[in-house]
Amino acid sequence: MANPSKKLVSCVILDLDGTLLNTDGVVGGVLKGLLVKYGKQWDGREAQRIIGKTPLEAAAAVVEEYGLPCGKDEFLAELYPIFSAQLCNIKPLPGANRLLKHLSGHGVPMALASNSPRGNIESKISYHQGWKDYFSVIVGGDEVTAGKPNPEIFLEAAKRLNTEPSSCLVIEDSMPGVTAGKAAGIEVVAVPSVPKQAHLYTSADEVINSLLDLQPEKWGLPSFQDWVEGTLPIEPWYIGGPVIKGFGRGSKVLGIPTANLSTEGHSSLLSEHPSGVYFGWAVLSTRGVYKMVMSIGWNPYFNNAEKTIEPWLLHEFSEDFYGEELHLVIVGYIRPEVNFPSLESLIAKIQEDRKVAETALDLPLYSKHKDDPYLKSS
């Protein structure tokens, strides 16, 4: 049932980079390599300033921040061919394909509105099956007089969709995009692509952790029907390594003994997956296969400095197993990462997550993954 406080919409306008595609990871890799030439090291501090900007604005921000001995046009001319060669390596963000297939399957008109040039947009989506057909309208930054945060790009998209802006929903990851959407008189769902920045998006009508958490029915759009007993099946993904000592709070503070994995060597994998609570199967090289529920993220209650992986093997162990090889296959999603008002409420939610995971893993949909070859290979 739609939330009566929100407008009902009939069309969806989506941003591309950082909203549907994990462009930021590829851009970061390209900048890291290019800045070495200038004796500089990309540390990601400019990520917030370049997200949602036109390519020239982003280039200007990097040139200024790093004090490069070149102009923004020269830097962009150097950057663009390297970036273009990497377009085929840009992956869809979790939930992107699911959302596009869902809206398309229900006949909801969709537009792409990006500050990138039109040709660049078309090149990016050409690597993703069906995406070109999903969008009846594409508006690039080179087709309007001013890019986001100017509202023109969204007004033009609505015009080409033959609908009023007020009948549209915008989905955006950047503040310039959110600002543009609101200035166009459109309801905006923000999916912040920079970690721990959700508090800055107060002008958005809703802020969600990832596309996995979008509830289209809030806006009068068809609801997803793929949740199963409080869980969302996902394409399985894998991670493994030796069990390390964590923060010392799992058993002592929470009464929950987590088997932490090092994030070293897994930064690109972690950047692909939204923070939140997941579940699946775990194998310890000398002990066997166990049900598992895990958190990925910054644990807002404890305000971690870095994104961590904290699996909880749902079994009573009589001894520690630090150093043992742990392999995980992650098969489902439960909820986004959220903060809690008290330690008690955090513990209660974690125990609820455990029950959800334990029950779900008995379903054939998930239990079949207990025999995944990745678990046998450890």
Side-chain angles (χ1 to χ4, degrees):
M1 184 174 167
N3 185 332
S5 68
K6 293 184 169 73
K7 293 180 188 173
L8 302 186
V9 305
S10 55
C11 301
V12 177
I13 306 174
L14 298 119
D15 174 55
L16 181 62
D17 301 308
T19 300
L20 294 174
L21 291 179
N22 189 17
T23 316
D24 303 339
V26 171
V27 169
V30 170
L31 286 170
K32 188 175 182 179
L34 189 54
L35 287 173
V36 168
K37 173 188 166 184
Y38 293 96
K40 307 285 184 179
Q41 184 175 353
W42 169 255
D43 55 14
R45 67 176 183 263
E46 280 309 287
Q48 182 64 38
R49 279 188 66 190
I50 67 175
I51 285 173
K53 300 294 180 67
T54 65
L56 193 59
E57 288 170 341
V62 174
V63 168
E64 179 189 346
E65 178 67 25
Y66 288 88
L68 301 184
C70 61
K72 58 185 180 182
D73 295 278
E74 182 185 342
F75 185 69
L76 184 59
E78 193 174 8
L79 174 73
Y80 223 70
I82 305 170
F83 175 65
S84 297
Q86 294 293 320
L87 294 183
C88 59
N89 296 322
I90 301 175
K91 296 180 181 179
L93 283 159
N97 275 314
R98 170 181 177 249
L99 175 61
L100 296 178
K101 286 177 184 174
H102 174 73
L103 294 177
S104 175
H106 285 87
V108 177
M110 288 182 281
L112 265 183
S114 167
N115 270 350
S116 295
R118 172 69 180 259
N120 184 267
I121 296 169
E122 292 181 340
S123 294
K124 286 173 188 167
I125 67 173
S126 70
Y127 294 101
H128 303 282
Q129 189 175 356
W131 281 33
K132 186 179 179 183
D133 297 327
Y134 288 145
F135 301 103
S136 51
V137 167
I138 295 175
V139 186
D142 56 344
E143 297 180 86
V144 291
T145 57
K148 308 167 193 176
N150 188 294
E152 184 185 353
I153 198 164
F154 288 130
L155 294 173
E156 180 62 23
K159 180 181 175 183
R160 294 189 195 179
L161 284 168
N162 295 313
T163 190
E164 292 297 318
S166 59
S167 296
C168 298
L169 176 69
V170 159
I171 303 178
E172 262 284 356
D173 73 299
S174 73
M175 274 308 304
V178 171
T179 302
K182 294 310 298 176
I186 302 177
E187 302 279 283
V188 179
V189 173
V191 195
S193 55
V194 176
K196 303 171 85 168
Q197 298 294 315
H199 62 284
L200 300 177
Y201 288 71
T202 52
S203 59
D205 297 282
E206 184 180 26
V207 182
I208 57 176
N209 186 60
S210 78
L211 292 177
L212 299 177
D213 304 308
L214 183 68
Q215 296 176 275
E217 64 273 18
K218 285 186 175 182
W219 311 95
L221 296 168
S223 62
F224 286 111
Q225 300 295 321
D226 51 358
W227 283 81
V228 180
E229 295 192 17
T231 68
L232 178 64
I234 60 174
E235 190 69 27
W237 58 278
Y238 309 89
I239 194 167
V243 177
I244 62 166
K245 283 187 180 290
F247 298 94
R249 64 185 181 219
S251 298
K252 295 184 180 68
V253 180
L254 301 173
I256 294 156
T258 54
N260 294 41
L261 287 174
S262 170
T263 57
E264 194 173 337
H266 296 308
S267 58
S268 61
L269 180 63
L270 285 179
S271 73
E272 292 175 19
H273 296 283
S275 59
V277 177
Y278 298 80
F279 65 95
W281 297 96
V283 63
L284 284 166
S285 51
T286 61
R287 299 170 189 260
V289 179
Y290 305 95
K291 291 179 177 180
M292 174 276 301
V293 63
M294 66 186 277
S295 71
I296 296 177
W298 290 267
N299 290 310
Y301 185 82
F302 295 104
N303 196 24
N304 289 359
E306 65 173 22
K307 199 173 187 180
T308 59
I309 317 161
E310 300 184 38
W312 179 18
L313 276 56
L314 305 181
H315 179 80
E316 297 293 330
F317 293 94
S318 58
E319 58 189 355
D320 290 333
F321 41 84
Y322 296 122
E324 286 195 35
E325 195 70 17
L326 175 66
H327 280 193
L328 308 175
V329 53
I330 296 93
V331 300
Y333 174 77
I334 296 177
R335 63 174 176 85
E337 182 177 59
V338 293
N339 203 349
F340 291 90
S342 67
L343 187 62
E344 291 72 25
S345 58
L346 168 61
I347 292 171
K349 192 63 178 177
I350 293 172
Q351 293 293 348
E352 186 182 316
D353 295 334
R354 171 186 181 147
K355 290 177 184 174
V356 170
E358 280 192 313
T359 302
L361 285 166
D362 286 332
L363 299 172
L365 172 68
Y366 297 122
S367 64
K368 65 184 180 183
H369 294 289
K370 190 175 182 180
D371 297 319
D372 193 288
Y374 182 71
L375 300 177
K376 307 290 186 187
S377 64
S378 64

